[in-house]
Amino acid sequence: MFKVKLHLAIFAALCSGGVLAHEGEEIDEIVVKGRWERPLGMAVSASEGIVGQAELDIRPRLRTGDMLEVVPGLIMTQHSGTGKSNQMFLRGFNLDHGTDFSTWIDGMPINQPTHGHGQGYTDLNFIIPELVDTLEFRKGPYYAGVSDFSSAGAAFFSVPRTLDGPLIRLGLGQNGFGRLLAANSFQTGRGDLLAGLQTHRYDGPWVGVKEDLSANTGLLRYSEVQDGSEWSIMFMGYDAAWNSADQVPLRAVEDGRVSPLGTIDDTVGGATSRYSLSGRWHQDFNDRGSLTVRAYAIDYQLDLYSNFTYFLENPEDGDQFKQVDDRLTWGGDVTWSWRLGQNTTQNVGLALRVDDIDEVGLFSTTARSVTGTVRQDKVKQSSTGLYYSLEHRFSDSWRATVGARADWYSFDVRDSNIVENTGTADDMIVSPKLSVVYTISDTLEAYFSAGRAFHSNDARGTVISVDPSTGEPAEPVDPLVASEGAEIGFRFFDEQRVNVSAALWYLELDSELLFVGDAGNTEPSRASRRYGIEVPLYVRLTDSWLADFEVALTRSEFTESDPAGDKIPGSLDRVLAAGLVGQFENGAYTSIRSRHFGPRPLTELGDVESESSTVWNLGVGFRTGAFDFRIEALNLFDSTDDDITYFYNSRLPGEPSSGIEDVHFHPIEPRTIRAHLTWSPGG
């Protein structure tokens, strides 16, 4: 037990999700969950970490998915409507909507394989940000417990068991923004019941289209903890519909045919739903170890309308298409952990996942009316993973973790439109892992980590024989694609003032997944390699001010020679982020953040590049008693930079039938002001 002054309590709560003391009081103990949790002696690599609710909450954010930007070097953008999954960038990857970055919430996978829009599709919009207890991130392929889509890294959201008291938050802002959240936890018998309801509305700043976003989210969780045993069951529900303003061609903006905030097809958009039931049971067996069992079932649907090429394929009615995904996903895992003596800990786990996809399809449409079928499939995809890890402490200075996982996949595809594309496939991959850590002092550690990871390819591609768009013969792709990487790094941690780490990393991928603009999906490409350095720095400047600075520099290239070039389209070469947070004894607080990502090649030759993008966000607020009032200025300086940029062929009315290759972009949303009023008597 230890005692600290009020200003240290404020910062511990801000950075860790702990509980604030009342003014003038001392606190006996701080429950630390965040940047200032002591990582030394526990971390496996220099590029892992954990962030608590307090830091997630105080950061101004435009969209739900922006929560992930607490991961150093990770960028979240959007090229379509608010209801659609974010675009993601990390370690030189244009992750599209989640490929090569694995996401989980309380043991449930979020990525969707063999998805209607893109492999590994990750939609975070069903998460209520205030009901995230911690966000744990791990970058690199060094962790035996992580499976598909984890080459660049993984993030794990956790939901709290209880709240400090009732929480009601109302948000209002420009462009029709409205959000209402009500949440509370209740003690019921021997356990606790957590409940939350959220409704979200937004029209957006776009010219010629109103987003008309309507999204509703609910969460209900019951949990019990007693005598070394813990179990919980949770229901989550989400339903949303929206219109989109997709990317626009640069030529049309330059000649005045469309506003940068406009759209070519004003009938695109989508609707989605996600309903899940999950459970967890954990039992400690004193010195013999512990057992954890988790299970889940997820019902998911998406209807998505897009038009990226406008009038290239269909000059009369346009190129709009509909992507459909309707599935039931179920599975779970069992993990047994136990100690061998005082210095060795072992973990063994078994995981199962089944995606029973009733329909995954691509249809041609006009103004959301189906005019033809390109592809319509039923898919059953199953995976089983067995993993093992052992951590041994050789001395007070040296420890090592070794592990491996084996993953088996099977694919059963039934194409109702092209019978030749019906078939089955299976594959297996073994992924070894290794980390060695040297503790130099009480405040400094050095790390070496290496391992293999993988991503699965779309099941339809593993059995394909006929291209559904052209009717020409097509070659199937490898079901599982390996990646191998390593990093060296260090971490300096002084809980009073500084938390800084640095990682020099390298990653090779057997096959790149690239976004294809004129097809609206991802396709396998050549082998690639990436390497770079990341340095996140967090400093307590004074008793009232906390600063952070993150830099990530990356080099990305294809490794197989091709006249097309060796640049990887969409790969970022640099990411810079900085923030300053002030917390004051009178209840006032502020948070200002800047995010910059550098230009990226848009073609494999690198002859066309995007511009760099920079945006600033500001939040100022005041807490008094049970009330918290906050104003946020998002895109504070009204930047006109791009959120996303592509280069591909498209056609507008009156243009040559072969189309025109051009830059297509989606701008950062103009400056918008939002106000939030929170009532939380227990917080």
Side-chain angles (χ1 to χ4, degrees), residues 543-554:
D543 292 345
S544 299
W545 291 98
L546 176 74
D548 66 85
F549 179 75
E550 301 164 0
V551 57
L553 306 176
T554 305

Side-chain angles (χ1 to χ4, degrees), residues 164-479:
D164 295 327
L167 169 66
I168 297 177
R169 175 168 290 179
L170 173 66
L172 297 172
Q174 293 177 286
N175 304 314
F177 172 80
R179 178 173 177 263
L180 178 63
L181 166 67
N184 200 1
S185 60
F186 314 88
Q187 188 170 8
T188 57
R190 297 188 302 176
D192 296 281
L193 182 67
L194 173 68
L197 287 172
Q198 172 188 275
T199 184
H200 182 196
R201 302 292 183 268
Y202 189 51
D203 291 335
W206 316 111
V207 176
V209 64
K210 179 180 177 182
E211 279 200 35
D212 197 24
L213 171 73
S214 174
N216 299 292
T217 312
L219 180 150
L220 193 65
R221 181 183 186 183
Y222 178 79
S223 58
E224 287 188 12
V225 179
Q226 53 183 302
D227 299 329
S229 177
E230 176 183 353
W231 71 271
S232 64
I233 185 168
M234 180 170 66
F235 167 80
M236 303 181 77
Y238 170 69
D239 196 283
W242 67 95
N243 302 317
S244 295
D246 280 344
Q247 61 258 26
V248 293
L250 179 62
R251 63 187 183 276
V253 173
E254 291 180 335
D255 65 20
R257 279 180 287 178
V258 65
S259 164
L261 298 174
T263 188
I264 303 299
D265 186 341
D266 62 4
T267 64
V268 298
T272 188
S273 65
R274 183 189 188 277
Y275 296 92
S276 67
L277 187 66
S278 61
R280 178 182 183 271
W281 174 69
H282 176 84
Q283 178 69 55
D284 286 322
F285 297 97
N286 299 320
D287 295 334
R288 291 176 293 168
S290 64
L291 178 67
T292 303
V293 180
R294 297 181 295 193
Y296 57 85
I298 308 166
D299 181 82
Y300 171 85
Q301 292 183 330
L302 173 71
D303 289 340
L304 185 65
Y305 299 88
S306 306
N307 188 346
F308 300 134
T309 55
Y310 318 125
F311 295 92
L312 181 64
E313 302 297 332
N314 188 338
E316 297 298 325
D317 297 323
D319 299 347
Q320 188 185 102
F321 57 90
K322 177 185 180 182
Q323 293 166 313
V324 173
D325 196 289
D326 183 356
R327 73 178 67 202
L328 175 65
T329 301
W330 58 272
D333 62 84
V334 180
T335 303
W336 170 250
S337 302
W338 73 101
R339 299 180 67 89
L340 291 176
Q342 294 299 313
N343 299 318
T344 304
T345 303
Q346 299 184 92
N347 297 277
V348 62
L350 177 67
L352 169 69
R353 172 173 178 169
V354 176
D355 286 87
D356 196 348
I357 307 172
D358 187 61
E359 181 184 16
V360 55
L362 177 62
F363 307 88
S364 56
T365 57
T366 301
R368 301 199 185 188
S369 295
V370 174
T371 58
T373 300
V374 179
R375 182 153 196 180
Q376 187 175 23
D377 298 85
K378 292 175 68 73
V379 178
K380 188 167 186 178
Q381 177 171 326
S382 304
S383 63
T384 303
L386 177 65
Y387 56 93
Y388 170 82
S389 67
L390 179 149
E391 181 191 274
H392 182 73
R393 295 179 180 264
F394 299 95
S395 66
D396 292 340
S397 299
W398 288 96
R399 70 181 189 273
T401 301
V402 295
R405 66 174 298 125
D407 289 276
W408 296 266
Y409 276 69
S410 66
F411 309 90
D412 187 341
V413 180
R414 296 290 177 263
D415 191 329
S416 62
N417 196 42
I418 304 175
V419 67
E420 292 87 349
N421 286 335
T422 292
T424 61
D426 59 79
D427 202 0
M428 173 185 173
I429 190 169
V430 176
S431 306
K433 319 280 184 175
L434 170 67
S435 292
V436 179
V437 184
Y438 177 59
T439 302
I440 300 170
S441 69
D442 289 342
T443 57
L444 184 63
E445 281 189 340
Y447 306 85
F448 170 77
S449 304
R452 172 185 288 177
F454 71 97
H455 70 237
S456 61
N457 273 325
D458 192 303
R460 294 168 292 180
T462 68
V463 300
I464 193 171
S465 61
V466 176
D467 188 311
S469 298
T470 66
E472 297 178 355
E475 291 293 325
V477 299
D478 293 332

